Amino acid sequence: PAAEEVTKEVRAAFKLFDQDQSGSLEAREVRSALTKLGVDASNADAMVAMQRFDADGDGSLDLKEFAALVTELLRFQAAAQQHGPK
């Protein structure tokens, strides 16, 4: 699949987490999304994620930026499961 492709699941999750229907996720929405995706995220963690994935620097994550975050999370989770608990 192309890197630009956004799955239906990611699109649905984005819509769910975009609580104010602004078309982008602000830090509090990103923290909520991370928590629901199984990441114990603090406000600081959410800000780090925002800075890392906010490609256009507008202070929020659009759908493609959110998709990049989800892709990275899934990769990390898959790698962690492969190596098992330490």
Side-chain angles (χ1 to χ4, degrees):
E4 296 297 312
E5 193 175 302
V6 177
T7 66
K8 282 190 295 193
E9 293 84 3
V10 170
R11 199 176 296 275
F14 180 84
K15 202 170 179 178
L16 180 72
F17 298 134
D18 185 14
Q19 296 162 348
D20 60 4
Q21 267 88 57
S22 64
S24 62
L25 302 181
E26 288 75 39
R28 65 180 170 73
E29 292 168 326
V30 170
R31 181 178 181 206
S32 174
L34 289 171
T35 301
K36 288 191 173 100
L37 292 169
V39 177
D40 184 18
S42 66
N43 285 334
D45 295 330
M47 291 308 295
V48 168
M50 292 287 294
Q51 291 168 349
R52 180 155 182 216
F53 292 96
D54 181 16
D56 59 10
D58 68 354
S60 61
L61 299 186
D62 63 25
L63 179 59
K64 285 184 180 175
E65 292 164 340
F66 177 71
L69 170 78
V70 171
T71 300
E72 176 109 350
L73 264 179
L74 293 174
R75 259 192 222 129
F76 179 78
Q77 289 173 343
Q81 286 175 354
Q82 214 171 33
H83 298 292
K86 301 219 185 270

